[in-house]
Amino acid sequence: MTTESAPATVTVRERVTRLAADHITAWQRGYLADDSHAVASLARLRRGAGRQAGQLPDLWTLIDTGPLHHTPDGARPLSERELEQAEDALHVALTLYALHQQSRRTGMYQPDRPDSRQGLGAAVRRMMKPGEIDTPVHKRLVRAGTAADLATCAQRLRDIVVLLRQRDIALDHALLAGQLYTWQWPGGADTVRREWGRSFHAWHNSANDAPPAPAPVDRDTTARTTDTDKDAS
């Protein structure tokens, strides 16, 4: 068992979160504008959802981790372990975003704010009826939180993202990237589970709210995306 502890500072996590936000914001803007490059990029990224980083060399040119190798003034270079875990976290979060955004004409990435909770727990809670806890849906969140390793967690998160996509429920994927970086440190999974739990309980829908219904399939959009997937293969 390793005795290595997490860094005392959250600087690396913040850098992972910001880098994920930069990537996703650019892709989402382009995708919603029907930019062919962005559409093709997300099609390529989707193939990596639920798979380990490095299994698809085709994605190396899409997920630019160069900023993590740059050392800002007053900071220290990241260790090999920090770089590896940051890259793995980015891979999981960005490929899940690509899956989430597929064929959706509104942005499935939305930043988490105090007045608009978009964390994973809040997103799962939004799938439930007001005042009720949907046990099967809640169990999916619990299972993701109790995964033995990042690869298993990524697979279980993929299942959740598929449900969120069906309901047009957005998620802060950049926040998720930072959480998945923390996840990989000793004791980090406990920290992330607490964050997901707080997010779950922080979102409250009013009596007039109802969980979003599954979004209708835009056949034209689906066809266009499918064609683009083939071109990008």
Side-chain angles (χ1 to χ4, degrees), residues 69-230:
H69 295 265
H70 173 70
T71 305
D73 292 340
R76 61 169 176 78
L78 302 188
S79 69
E80 284 299 316
R81 181 172 183 182
E82 288 170 327
L83 285 169
E84 181 179 344
Q85 293 181 177
E87 290 166 355
D88 288 346
L90 285 166
H91 170 85
V92 173
L94 298 183
T95 55
L96 286 176
Y97 162 72
L99 176 67
H100 198 171
Q101 187 61 60
Q102 183 182 16
S103 301
R104 291 295 172 259
R105 305 315 301 167
T106 57
M108 291 293 98
Y109 162 65
Q110 297 296 330
D112 182 67
R113 302 190 307 270
D115 63 336
S116 179
R117 293 299 180 187
Q118 304 291 345
L120 182 65
V124 169
R125 184 66 184 88
R126 289 186 63 195
M127 286 192 281
M128 303 178 186
K129 295 180 180 179
E132 296 183 10
I133 298 296
D134 185 322
T135 301
V137 174
H138 184 256
K139 281 185 176 178
R140 289 181 182 272
L141 179 63
V142 173
R143 290 185 70 246
T146 56
D149 51 50
L150 185 63
T152 304
C153 183
Q155 287 283 354
R156 294 175 180 178
L157 289 174
R158 187 187 189 281
D159 294 340
I160 292 175
V161 165
V162 168
L163 294 177
L164 295 176
R165 177 179 169 274
Q166 291 172 352
R167 295 298 185 98
D168 264 343
I169 295 174
L171 177 66
D172 189 338
H173 297 268
L175 172 62
L176 181 62
Q179 290 171 332
L180 293 177
Y181 172 78
T182 296
W183 175 279
Q184 299 170 80
W185 290 98
D190 291 335
T191 298
V192 174
R193 280 193 289 266
R194 286 193 294 270
E195 292 182 14
W196 289 351
R198 285 196 297 268
S199 174
F200 181 88
H201 292 291
W203 191 85
H204 299 284
N205 47 7
S206 70
N208 294 325
D209 286 337
V217 176
D218 184 334
R219 297 189 181 277
D220 292 338
T221 299
T222 302
R224 182 177 64 251
T225 305
T226 302
D227 291 340
T228 305
D229 286 1
K230 293 179 181 178

